[in-house]
Amino acid sequence: MSETRATVLIVDDQPTNIHALASLLKADYRILTATRGEKALELSQGEQAPDLILLDIVMPDMDGYETCRRLKDNETTRSIPVIFVTALDHDKDEEQGLNLGASDYISKPFNPAIVRARVRNQVNLKLKTNMLEKISLQDGLTEIPNRRYFDQKLAEEWARSSRNDQSLALLMVDIDQFKPFNDHYGHGAGDECLRRVAQALRRVPTRATDLVARYGGEEFVVLLPETDTRGAQHVAQAMLEAVRSLEVTHDYSDVAPHVTISIGGAIQSRQHPKPSAEDLKKAADTALYQAKTNGRNRYQGEI
Ligand code: GH3
Ligand code: MG
């Protein structure tokens, strides 16, 4: 059960203070500790980022205010709530902390029951926010990432590939003759087909940075960082095969007796430069249109 517990990061230059807070909270939370602001920033950006940070103000080198400012300036750590825990108890100190974006303020010496309650409130709020964020970036029907998530990732990967001069491949995937499928088998069967196709597509790419999302309707989109023309073609062929081998009967398709897809691909690279991410999408869309015109159930690379 321990991995499902929320994580609290305690930051204080005095190990005895860390120990006091940790012994109060360790029964309910996974505890991370840091005695320096720099270390707190590093842990907050890591794989096991905390759900809450308890932050001392007076510390050598980087103090708590500066640590908080940097946490709030960084997109990846901005949403982690911070509670200042400090012996400074002037209203002005509290005001400064709250103005920096801290969620709460606890004065030392602290009351254990109040610390537990304040921590619980902030952690619960954070877990709710996490859940809402997840829902807002996931497609409800297929349970894969949605267009909003995809567009965010595309912007990030576009910037990264430009910075590092690496190629970036984008595939647009569309189910063939899905309208007659819906018309004959009904919307419920159509939804089930979309779910199965989504799961089949999702299983094809293997790298952690690869992304398969539902773009809308019966259209999916695939983002493949550090992937060139041959790599894109390889993934696309595997996707065509993955959907074919589902063998979802489609008696009203003139392409095949089962559900098939068409795929259009485009690459951003030095050989195939594009002015913007939008142009990469357009190029993939044009290729998809060509795949449809050429008879469907196929991959068409960049034209
Ligand atoms: P093509 O081979 O050229 O792609 O033809 P098509 O019939 O697949 O394309 P068209 O754009 O004419 O029709 C898409 C259909 O997809 C229309 C709609 O019935 C169906 N569709 C879109 N979204 C959903 C959905 O969420 N659930 C279901 N069941 N059907 C959907
Ligand atoms: Mg279609």
Side-chain angles (χ1 to χ4, degrees):
M1 286 299 285
S2 62
E3 57 282 347
T4 62
R5 291 191 306 178
T7 300
V8 175
L9 168 60
I10 304 171
V11 190
D12 199 306
D13 59 321
Q14 302 290 331
T16 50
N17 289 341
I18 291 187
H19 185 74
L21 283 169
S23 58
L24 261 184
L25 301 170
K26 67 179 182 217
D28 300 312
Y29 307 99
R30 196 170 76 93
I31 304 291
L32 298 176
T33 64
T35 52
R36 292 166 44 245
E38 288 87 349
K39 182 72 184 167
L41 295 177
E42 189 187 308
L43 288 170
S44 302
Q45 293 184 53
E47 284 285 301
Q48 310 258 297
D51 299 296
L52 174 69
I53 301 174
L54 297 179
L55 189 55
D56 182 25
I57 294 179
V58 183
M59 294 189 288
D61 303 326
M62 191 190 297
D63 70 6
Y65 291 136
E66 181 58 20
T67 308
C68 184
R69 190 175 292 118
R70 293 200 192 186
L71 285 164
K72 298 299 168 186
D73 273 350
N74 184 326
E75 179 137 14
T76 55
T77 55
R78 185 172 299 153
S79 65
I80 306 172
V82 170
I83 300 181
F84 278 119
V85 185
T86 177
L88 302 177
D89 62 352
H90 287 280
D91 279 356
K92 228 161 54 28
D93 298 310
E94 182 164 352
E95 182 188 339
Q96 184 174 353
L98 295 174
N99 279 339
L100 283 171
S103 303
D104 207 347
Y105 193 94
I106 297 172
S107 307
K108 284 190 268 197
F110 49 72
N111 171 320
I114 291 181
V115 170
R116 277 202 211 94
R118 292 201 157 153
V119 165
R120 189 176 58 236
N121 287 346
Q122 291 303 329
V123 165
N124 286 347
L125 205 59
K126 176 64 163 63
L127 296 181
K128 265 186 212 148
T129 312
N130 288 355
M131 195 179 69
L132 287 175
E133 186 169 86
K134 187 168 170 233
I135 290 171
S136 76
L137 297 173
Q138 184 173 296
D139 174 53
L141 176 69
T142 59
E143 295 179 345
I144 66 173
N146 63 16
R147 179 177 184 151
R148 209 160 128 216
Y149 184 81
F150 174 81
D151 282 334
Q152 281 180 18
K153 281 288 159 196
L154 174 59
E156 282 172 35
E157 293 297 346
W158 176 270
R160 196 147 68 104
S161 69
S162 311
R163 223 173 24 243
N164 304 337
D165 196 19
Q166 282 162 342
S167 59
L168 175 65
L170 193 156
L171 307 178
M172 286 277 186
V173 180
D174 186 282
I175 302 181
D176 295 325
Q177 306 199 319
F178 197 53
K179 186 160 178 359
F181 185 94
N182 263 293
D183 291 349
H184 288 93
Y185 298 110
H187 209 77
D191 283 357
E192 180 57 23
C193 174
L194 282 170
R195 275 193 283 267
R196 294 192 62 193
V197 169
Q199 294 310 324
L201 295 177
R202 175 160 82 167
R203 282 193 290 268
V204 172
T206 49
R207 294 188 199 158
T209 49
D210 294 339
L211 172 68
V212 177
R214 185 177 181 203
Y215 204 59
E218 23 87 75
E219 193 166 27
F220 299 89
V221 69
V222 184
L223 191 62
L224 305 166
E226 295 177 50
T227 303
D228 60 9
T229 306
R230 275 189 55 198
Q233 180 164 12
H234 177 85
V235 172
Q237 293 298 347
M239 287 184 161
L240 290 171
E241 187 48 39
V243 172
R244 263 184 225 131
S245 64
L246 289 174
E247 297 195 356
V248 178
T249 303
H250 190 346
D251 288 330
Y252 306 91
S253 162
D254 14 272
V255 184
H258 49 259
V259 166
T260 58
I261 52 173
S262 296
I263 306 178
I267 315 286
Q268 157 65 9
S269 68
R270 215 178 304 164
Q271 292 78 33
H272 305 269
K274 311 273 179 312
S276 72
E278 204 49 42
D279 294 294
L280 184 63
K281 275 201 276 191
K282 272 193 206 137
D285 219 28
T286 306
L288 171 61
Y289 181 76
Q290 193 61 47
K292 293 279 183 189
T293 337
N294 290 352
R296 299 182 170 81
N297 190 19
R298 70 194 59 217
Y299 172 62
Q300 171 69 56
E302 195 164 339
I303 304 155

